[in-house]
Amino acid sequence: MVNGMVARWKRYGEERSKGKGRYYRKNLILVLAVSSIPGFIVGALIYWMAVGNMESELLKMHNRQIEQRAANIGEQLGNLELMLAHWAFDPKFDYSLKDLDAAVNYERAWDITKTLLVMQGSNTMVKRVELYLSGGEPLLFNPEYGNVENAAVSGQYDRLLRTGQSTYWTQWAFDPARPEARELTLVHHIPGGNLKPFGALLLRMDPEKVAGMLKTMTPYNSGETFMQQTFGPLFISAGSSTGQSPFVAALRDEIRKRGAEEGSSFLFDWNNATYAVTFGGFSRIADEWMYVSASPITSITAPVVFISRLIFLVSACALLLSALLSWFASRRIYSPVRRLLQTLMPEQAAAGREDEFKLIEKQWQTLHGQSHALQYTLAEQLPHVKESFLHQLFKGYLYAYSEADLRCRMKRFKWEVEDCHFIVLYIQLTGISSLEGKFRGGDESLVSFAAVNIIAELSAEHFSQADVVNFHDLTAGLLLIQPGACPAESTVHSFSEELAGMINRMLNMRVTVAFSPPAGSISAIPPAFEAAKQAASYRQFGGENQIIHLDQYAGQGQAAPDTQYSFMLERALIQALRSGDAGEADRLLEEFLEALCAEGAKAIDVQQGMLHLLGTIQHMIMDSGIHPNQLFKGVNMYAALSGIHEPKLILSWFREKVAAPFLKELCERSDAGIKRTIALAMQYIQEHYMDNISLDSCADYTGTNPFLLSKSFKRVTGQNFIDYLTGLRLNKAKELLRDTDMRINDVADQVGYQHSYFNRIFKKQEGITPGRYRELGHHD
């Protein structure tokens, strides 16, 4: 249709142009040329300026920008050097680190680890800060300490100590198995200023951050940027280039030929491309470095060239716009003349040219055809619109409409509602959890769709006007509109029985049908639907198909149900959940639901019983210090439970959505509490090891019983209480024997032992007496 209209308008334009003279066409071409030529001239001038005079000025600006960024990089590297020198001369890294036993002096080791972490976080370019201590058993803090067992690895680190400089930059391969994986590293020997260092502080730079720093010297995405030692092997590139790549080698040769006296920038041709090269140097620790930045000259002039080309494009667009406006203006100016000619000279229409009115007529015919197509589409969509209206009517969303408004709307949707009675049926399917292979949990929408199709086909055979609404949760609503006198209840009852039998055979599902008495007004439909829905909740669990009439169950909502709620099982279930016994809780939950679903139980009784149990469990959860909203992630648990109508599904929901999250949270909180208790106990031992402390006193301090404390202490620390206390006391005693001249009796009192027992336990643990240990310490 659209192609036909375009073709007709094209023929119309050709026919209109035939009626215009040569003078009109010549003037139209002249106007277009005058409006477009200045734009092309300006574009050409700017393009000439871009590739000519502006090239040198932009190159100078580029050079100044690179030099400024290089100075910033030099300042960043200088800050790193000052920071490392400051820490290398810190008393933390003096001679006391030589032959450090990190296992014994774990507090000193932890202090060093924290210092390295502070250094590592002080600069974003630092990937890792390491401390290497050579000796018989080399130690490596990175930042946590560990022994270097691999001789090849310790050899790599020892080579860093065998240099004439105490502070220097290097590219180092720390993994002997990967010699090609080199990292930029700043090394400082420790102790600072010593000619015979026994360790080194290392700042290992992040390769990606270093590359990003170098990329700041390239204002464009192409080209090459690198740094190198003037008289050394160190080479760092912003990309993946190496010092042996042809382009880098050619740049190095060109820079050597020019020399520093020739300036710091030049143009360099390589592979049919011209590069703007800027180079310079800056001093590092006892060394000189050079930086080189090479960018294609097209990257510098590209913005101006783009502007000139944009002007060409804008000029071309202006030409097209001028053509369009000129054509449109000529049409508007010439159309009155054209209509006058057609009025005064009707023979022009017979010459083969169509006038505007014929085109309008053809367009009207097209619109008329589209109108018929829309009417057909509306007829196809009408069932969906009617179902949406019924859904709103059943739910009571149309309460603001009067009876007259509702009748008017239903008539508009092709319902016959005059002198009619309305009957509402609420249909509920159960038994999806007991099906074997046909349907499974999660197929509620599919089963509902199949059931609604069955209901619609069967009701169409029995009633002249019957419309069904699918609620997609194994329930549906059916509205019967019967003209004339009230339909017999037996007719609706027999229809319900036939419907239930058909769904039994086809879907293997049980059916509950609740239907209302006939109503004479549309506004009575919503309360009738709610009443039918409420009546369906009084179906009996475990029964087969059930047909419920509202008149028969009018007073059942106020009758006291014969409840099977077991408070004994409820208390046992709550206790099992509190103690974290998942298996017992699962068994009791199943037994509780079976008691609720005993023979004769109604659906509403089971639903209310499980809602009551849910409230009791939520109260227990709050008593446990856990907020239900956080545990259940803000889900309305009562609404979710109210939408489940089958015992097996209710049991599965309670297991997965209520019990499992609570037991998991309870377990996690229990583990965290034990760790806090043991941490408090260890702090107590550290502060009172010299006193007469015991497992009982420690348990009193932490607020727990001795048995639980002993079991938890072994589980968390790997040692029992006595072994931990003995080890701590003996370590303190050895420090006093080594570093002081206290008498052995005083040392024993200082660490909480009697003198005789102290000698026995010391010799048992260390193999020598305290006096002999002091002699050996003084000899060393």
Side-chain angles (χ1 to χ4, degrees):
M1 184 192 307
V2 175
N3 293 334
M5 290 296 297
V6 172
R8 283 196 293 271
W9 277 106
K10 186 176 181 181
R11 290 197 300 271
Y12 174 73
E14 293 175 352
E15 291 169 1
R16 294 291 296 270
S17 64
K18 292 178 182 177
K20 300 177 178 63
R22 182 178 298 176
Y23 178 81
Y24 173 82
R25 290 193 295 271
K26 286 183 178 181
N27 281 275
L28 180 60
I29 295 173
L30 179 61
V31 170
L32 295 177
V34 170
S35 62
S36 60
I37 287 176
F40 285 103
I41 294 175
V42 172
L45 289 175
I46 293 180
Y47 186 82
W48 174 76
M49 293 175 63
V51 298
N53 297 333
M54 293 186 66
E55 182 178 281
S56 58
E57 293 297 325
L58 291 175
L59 182 58
K60 292 178 182 178
M61 293 177 61
H62 173 263
N63 292 339
R64 289 195 295 270
Q65 186 180 22
I66 297 301
E67 291 173 357
Q68 182 180 4
R69 294 181 180 180
N72 292 336
I73 293 175
E75 184 178 358
Q76 293 184 49
L77 298 178
N79 290 336
L80 288 174
E81 295 165 357
L82 288 175
M83 180 190 73
L84 187 61
H86 169 77
W87 284 104
F89 284 91
D90 193 273
K92 288 186 175 70
F93 305 103
D94 57 10
Y95 283 97
S96 62
L97 292 179
K98 189 173 183 181
D99 298 326
L100 173 68
D101 190 344
V104 174
N105 295 328
Y106 65 91
E107 293 182 348
R108 182 71 181 277
W110 173 236
D111 185 45
I112 293 173
T113 297
K114 291 191 292 184
T115 302
L116 296 181
L117 287 172
V118 171
M119 296 173 62
Q120 183 172 306
S122 62
N123 194 290
T124 58
M125 289 198 302
V126 177
K127 180 179 76 173
R128 187 182 301 167
V129 179
E130 295 183 348
L131 171 65
Y132 175 72
L133 301 175
S134 63
E137 293 184 359
L139 283 178
L140 178 61
F141 291 77
N142 61 347
E144 298 179 355
Y145 76 89
N147 293 326
V148 182
E149 305 290 345
N150 193 324
V153 174
S154 62
Q156 289 289 95
Y157 282 90
D158 287 334
R159 287 172 56 194
L160 294 172
L161 304 179
R162 295 193 293 269
T163 59
Q165 294 176 303
S166 63
T167 307
Y168 59 94
W169 290 90
T170 183
Q171 275 185 309
W172 202 252
F174 292 91
D175 188 355
R178 299 173 58 204
E180 74 284 353
R182 295 177 173 270
E183 297 178 9
L184 180 63
T185 305
L186 179 59
V187 183
H188 199 301
H189 294 167
I190 62 167
N194 191 281
L195 297 178
K196 293 182 179 181
F198 60 83
L201 278 172
L202 299 93
L203 295 186
R204 295 173 61 174
M205 311 300 290
D206 190 334
E208 294 182 1
K209 298 292 180 60
V210 174
M213 176 185 69
L214 291 179
K215 287 180 180 178
T216 61
M217 291 200 300
T218 303
Y220 312 106
N221 293 327
S222 56
E224 179 61 57
T225 302
F226 61 87
M227 289 192 307
Q228 66 176 27
Q229 287 177 323
T230 307
F231 305 100
L234 188 143
F235 178 86
I236 313 165
S237 174
S240 57
S241 303
T242 62
Q244 289 75 32
S245 68
F247 181 60
V248 173
L251 281 176
R252 286 174 164 177
D253 293 338
E254 186 66 21
I255 291 172
R256 280 196 293 269
K257 291 178 184 178
R258 290 178 174 271
E261 68 278 5
E262 303 238 351
S264 60
S265 63
F266 58 93
L267 296 177
F268 180 67
D269 294 327
W270 176 264
N271 285 348
N272 300 324
T274 301
Y275 289 82
V277 181
T278 301
F279 68 95
F282 44 79
S283 298
R284 295 269 58 83
I285 302 175
D287 200 357
E288 294 292 327
W289 287 18
M290 175 185 290
Y291 67 86
V292 179
S293 176
S295 301
I297 196 64
T298 53
S299 299
I300 303 175
T301 59
V304 183
V305 174
F306 170 76
I307 292 175
S308 62
R309 292 177 179 174
L310 182 61
I311 291 177
F312 274 113
L313 179 61
V314 171
S315 300
C317 294
L319 176 62
L320 295 177
L321 182 61
S322 300
L324 180 62
L325 293 177
S326 300
W327 175 76
F328 181 77
S330 65
R331 283 189 56 213
R332 295 295 300 271
I333 295 172
Y334 198 77
S335 65
V337 178
R338 184 68 179 174
R339 289 198 300 270
L340 181 59
L341 288 176
Q342 290 178 346
T343 303
L344 297 177
M345 302 175 64
E347 64 275 3
Q348 292 293 329
R353 292 193 294 269
E354 293 181 309
D355 59 20
E356 294 83 356
F357 296 100
K358 289 187 177 180
L359 290 175
I360 293 174
E361 181 182 359
K362 292 181 179 179
Q363 182 68 7
W364 177 84
Q365 293 175 352
T366 302
L367 292 176
H368 185 67
Q370 292 178 350
S371 176
H372 280 288
L374 289 175
Q375 291 290 340
Y376 176 77
T377 303
L378 179 60
E380 291 290 323
Q381 296 297 323
L382 185 60
H384 303 288
V385 178
K386 293 174 69 175
E387 182 180 0
S388 177
F389 173 81
L390 277 184
H391 187 277
Q392 297 180 59
L393 183 63
F394 282 162
K395 293 295 185 179
Y397 300 151
L398 305 179
Y399 65 91
Y401 287 86
S402 64
E403 179 70 20
D405 293 335
L406 292 174
R407 287 183 179 274
C408 181
R409 293 193 67 179
M410 293 189 73
K411 288 178 182 179
R412 196 182 307 159
F413 292 138
K414 310 301 182 183
W415 272 304
E416 295 292 338
V417 294
E418 294 297 335
D419 299 325
C420 291
H421 289 82
F422 308 95
I423 300 177
V424 177
L425 286 79
Y426 180 78
I427 305 161
Q428 185 179 75
L429 278 65
T430 56
I432 191 172
S433 60
S434 61
L435 300 181
E436 297 180 356
K438 194 167 188 178
F439 298 105
R440 62 184 80 165
D443 290 342
E444 288 82 359
S445 295
L446 178 61
V447 177
S448 300
F449 177 77
V452 164
N453 287 337
I454 296 173
I455 297 170
E457 293 180 3
L458 188 61
S459 60
E461 297 176 1
H462 287 75
F463 305 100
S464 58
Q465 293 189 86
D467 295 274
V468 63
V469 177
N470 185 2
F471 296 117
H472 304 283
D473 59 350
L474 298 179
T475 62
L478 179 64
L479 176 63
L480 303 179
I481 305 176
Q482 290 293 96
C486 296
E489 296 179 2
S490 58
T491 305
V492 181
H493 195 280
S494 60
F495 164 75
S496 301
E497 290 181 344
E498 185 178 353
L499 174 63
M502 184 174 292
I503 293 178
N504 292 159
R505 292 191 301 273
M506 299 184 68
L507 300 180
N508 196 21
M509 298 281 288
R510 295 188 297 273
V511 182
T512 300
V513 181
F515 62 92
S516 68
S521 63
I522 301 174
S523 57
I525 293 177
F529 173 78
E530 286 299 323
K533 185 177 179 180
Q534 183 66 23
S537 64
Y538 284 93
R539 65 181 178 87
Q540 291 188 355
F541 262 65
E544 295 299 325
N545 300 330
Q546 300 179 50
I547 311 299
I548 303 173
H549 192 284
L550 260 61
D551 289 342
Q552 301 172 1
Y553 285 80
Q556 194 159 353
Q558 289 76 27
D562 186 12
T563 180
Q564 301 292 328
Y565 195 91
S566 175
F567 290 94
M568 183 180 67
L569 289 175
E570 177 197 87
R571 290 191 294 270
L573 174 60
I574 296 299
Q575 182 61 33
L577 289 173
R578 277 202 185 103
S579 61
D581 191 344
E584 181 66 11
D586 186 72
R587 184 189 67 79
L588 290 171
L589 179 62
E590 185 173 356
E591 189 174 342
F592 180 85
L593 185 58
E594 288 178 356
L596 273 182
C597 298
E599 185 176 356
K602 295 182 174 58
I604 190 171
D605 299 336
V606 176
Q607 198 77 36
Q608 293 297 329
M610 295 307 292
L611 286 172
H612 181 78
L613 177 63
L614 177 60
T616 305
I617 292 176
Q618 293 212 53
H619 182 74
M620 179 272 296
I621 291 173
M622 294 183 68
D623 287 343
S624 301
I626 304 172
H627 201 288
N629 284 341
Q630 295 178 352
L631 180 66
F632 302 130
K633 298 179 174 58
V635 176
N636 188 339
M637 304 298 285
Y638 293 100
L641 178 58
S642 299
I644 307 175
H645 307 289
E646 300 192 27
K648 289 185 178 179
L649 297 181
I650 292 175
L651 181 62
S652 177
W653 183 85
F654 256 92
R655 287 170 174 168
E656 297 176 3
K657 304 299 183 181
V658 180
F662 172 71
L663 292 173
K664 180 181 178 183
E665 180 69 17
L666 193 65
C667 180
E668 292 176 354
R669 293 198 176 197
S670 176
D671 289 344
I674 289 173
K675 291 179 181 178
R676 286 194 297 269
T677 301
I678 299 306
L680 187 62
M682 294 175 70
Q683 179 183 354
Y684 176 77
I685 296 172
Q686 292 280 351
E687 295 173 354
H688 300 86
Y689 69 91
M690 69 292 296
D691 302 327
N692 185 22
I693 63 174
S694 64
L695 181 64
D696 292 338
S697 64
C698 190
D700 292 338
Y701 178 78
T702 57
T704 184
N705 64 74
F707 175 75
L708 179 59
L709 178 63
S710 176
K711 182 178 178 181
S712 302
F713 202 96
K714 177 70 174 179
R715 172 184 166 192
V716 175
T717 65
Q719 293 179 289
N720 58 40
F721 177 84
I722 295 300
D723 290 343
Y724 181 81
L725 177 61
T726 302
L728 179 62
R729 285 175 167 176
L730 290 182
N731 286 335
K732 296 296 183 180
K734 287 190 284 186
E735 289 183 12
L736 295 174
L737 291 172
R738 273 196 321 269
D739 302 335
T740 69
D741 295 329
M742 294 175 61
R743 295 185 306 166
I744 294 179
N745 290 354
D746 295 336
V747 171
D749 293 337
Q750 191 71 22
V751 297
Y753 284 125
Q754 295 181 358
H755 178 244
S756 59
Y757 183 73
F758 173 68
N759 286 336
R760 287 201 307 274
I761 193 67
F762 192 96
K763 185 173 182 180
K764 179 181 179 182
Q765 295 291 333
E766 302 297 329
I768 55 177
T769 63
R772 181 57 179 166
Y773 179 84
R774 170 172 280 176
E775 292 176 2
L776 293 176
H778 288 168
H779 178 71
D780 291 341

